[in-house]
Amino acid sequence: RRQVPRESRKPLIVMSPKNLLKHPHCKDSLDNFDDDAENDRLAQIRFKRVIMDPAVTDRAPTPAPETAVEKVYFCSGQIYYKVDAKRQELELQDKIHMVRIEQISPFPYDLVLRELRRYPNAEVLWLQEEPKNMGAYSYVMPRIETCMRALGATVVGALPYVGRKSSAVPATGFACLHKEEEANVIAEALRL
């Protein structure tokens, strides 16, 4: 969306799996791409570097704490939709919240700090579908830890990770094994 209103255009590369192109929760109204100056509805529409959990609405820099939340996952990409569907099925929306980081670089420190302030008692984890050595984990880990230290949290060891083990290849090569790994990641993410 940021590319559309600019006078000078830059090449835009979207790294997104094809299955999200028609996912019902990934769609947006065409009105949101309108650049009509008279359309008041567009005033609040902009690219969101971090998307909060749907259960919360406070966008203040210091939001009200969500003390009942036990786990908060930071994630990016399609794993959100898979885990969220299962989370709703198991009715765990009040115990597990998910925050999507939509812009990995430059890292949105201000918004990650806001979300960490929101969940003072929750266990903070990174969730990704890719193998540990191939996704965004190695990039976001020190940055999220920096945010946690800035809030006075004690960081012992690396940021907890939920996802596939490190691997030399991005895919298993077998659909049944891939689905089994995916089911294991989702089950681990929703374990309290």
Side-chain angles (χ1 to χ4, degrees), residues 129-167:
E129 185 173 29
E130 301 84 11
K132 188 174 185 178
N133 59 329
M134 293 185 190
Y137 176 70
S138 59
Y139 181 81
V140 301
M141 177 191 57
R143 288 157 178 81
I144 292 176
E145 289 175 353
T146 298
C147 291
M148 292 169 73
R149 285 188 189 96
L151 294 176
T154 305
V155 179
V156 180
L159 176 71
Y161 165 84
V162 174
R164 290 184 165 92
K165 297 181 297 186
S166 293
S167 174

Side-chain angles (χ1 to χ4, degrees), residues 4-180:
V4 173
R6 289 185 177 164
E7 289 183 23
S8 65
R9 301 285 173 95
K10 296 180 182 179
L12 176 65
I13 300 171
V14 179
M15 300 291 203
S16 177
K18 289 186 275 185
N19 68 344
L20 292 184
L21 292 174
K22 294 189 177 188
H23 194 286
H25 298 293
C26 265
K27 292 182 180 177
D28 215 346
S29 167
L30 284 177
D31 292 343
N32 294 343
F33 295 93
D34 185 7
D35 60 354
D36 182 10
E38 303 297 319
N39 189 346
D40 291 335
R41 240 178 47 76
L42 295 175
Q44 298 300 317
I45 297 171
R46 63 187 183 284
F47 176 75
K48 293 177 177 71
R49 297 175 294 151
V50 170
I51 300 176
M52 306 179 304
D53 190 90
V56 296
T57 57
D58 189 0
R59 294 187 179 282
T62 309
E66 299 282 334
T67 54
V69 176
E70 296 178 25
K71 283 185 178 181
V72 61
Y73 283 107
F74 285 87
C75 64
S76 182
Q78 70 177 347
I79 191 71
Y80 168 81
Y81 297 99
K82 295 172 182 178
V83 173
D84 186 51
K86 191 71 171 175
R87 178 179 70 150
Q88 289 179 17
E89 181 184 313
L90 298 174
E91 297 180 357
L92 293 171
Q93 300 96 314
D94 54 341
K95 294 184 188 268
I96 298 174
H97 280 199
M98 299 175 71
V99 177
R100 292 180 278 169
I101 299 180
E102 295 291 309
Q103 177 179 300
I104 302 289
S105 180
F107 193 75
Y109 287 100
D110 56 335
L111 300 177
V112 170
L113 280 167
R114 178 191 72 194
E115 294 307 309
L116 289 172
R117 284 186 198 106
R118 185 185 313 276
Y119 305 107
N121 303 332
E123 180 184 8
V124 177
L125 303 101
W126 177 259
L127 173 67
Q128 74 181 27
E129 185 173 29
E130 301 84 11
K132 188 174 185 178
N133 59 329
M134 293 185 190
Y137 176 70
S138 59
Y139 181 81
V140 301
M141 177 191 57
R143 288 157 178 81
I144 292 176
E145 289 175 353
T146 298
C147 291
M148 292 169 73
R149 285 188 189 96
L151 294 176
T154 305
V155 179
V156 180
L159 176 71
Y161 165 84
V162 174
R164 290 184 165 92
K165 297 181 297 186
S166 293
S167 174
V169 293
T172 62
F174 297 103
C176 59
L177 186 56
H178 173 81
K179 288 182 181 182
E180 181 183 323

